[in-house]
Amino acid sequence: MFKTILMPIDLQHKSSWSRALPAARAQLGEGVELHLLGIVHDVGNAWVASYLPKGYEQRALEEMKAELDSFVARELADVDGVTTHVGYGHVAETIVETADRIGADLIVMASRSPDELRTFRIASQGDRVVRHSPISVLIVR
């Protein structure tokens, strides 16, 4: 049914992929592409960025790419044609933009169980992606 699947993951938090990966695998079939996305968060403040070492962003992007490739070799060695992507910026925005750029027709991602207080203070990334994505989003809990 789906041809191009995007799965954003945070390699620092196993919960971002441990349940979502089996759900993404279940969607794979002949001719289905799986794309993994790692995101380097935007510092969001020029003052804070001025304290970071020169070349911080580029090094962070390169390290993220290497870690994603290692993840694929370890967790998806049996799947052909997995593509890794590294984004930079706000998480939900980067996910939706990447899905559009690669022509994804499904986003598979993990999300924490709802917590009204946390959602009120800082809406979850999954919630933001669902609200702004023009394609189907499979949230796995």
Side-chain angles (χ1 to χ4, degrees):
M1 180 173 160
F2 298 106
K3 292 294 182 193
T4 306
I5 300 169
L6 175 65
M7 190 177 113
I9 60 173
D10 180 348
L11 294 171
Q12 303 303 317
H13 296 94
K14 186 176 180 179
S15 62
S16 78
W17 59 266
S18 62
R19 291 189 178 156
L21 185 57
R25 280 178 170 275
Q27 301 299 319
L28 296 177
E30 186 67 33
V32 179
E33 300 173 5
L34 177 60
H35 296 258
L36 298 183
L37 172 64
I39 301 169
V40 175
H41 299 268
D42 182 8
V43 176
N45 184 312
W47 182 76
V48 172
S50 69
Y51 286 95
L52 296 172
K54 187 172 180 89
Y56 161 80
E57 291 172 7
Q58 187 59 40
R59 263 195 326 279
L61 291 168
E62 290 168 0
E63 288 174 13
M64 175 72 72
K65 177 71 168 151
E67 290 173 10
L68 280 173
D69 291 341
S70 176
F71 176 85
V72 169
R74 186 177 65 250
E75 300 291 334
L76 292 160
D78 60 322
V79 178
D80 290 330
V82 177
T83 305
T84 58
H85 304 271
V86 177
Y88 178 80
H90 299 287
V91 174
E93 209 173 279
T94 303
I95 293 168
V96 173
E97 288 172 357
T98 302
D100 181 56
R101 181 173 45 79
I102 67 171
D105 50 3
L106 177 66
I107 298 170
V108 176
M109 61 187 295
S111 181
R112 292 186 179 106
S113 296
D115 174 338
E116 289 303 318
L117 180 60
R118 185 175 21 223
T119 301
F120 176 73
R121 287 181 40 234
I122 49 169
S124 76
Q125 300 301 331
D127 181 50
R128 289 182 178 129
V129 171
V130 168
R131 276 189 283 134
H132 298 287
S133 177
I135 64 172
S136 296
V137 180
L138 173 58
I139 299 291
V140 182
R141 292 199 169 119

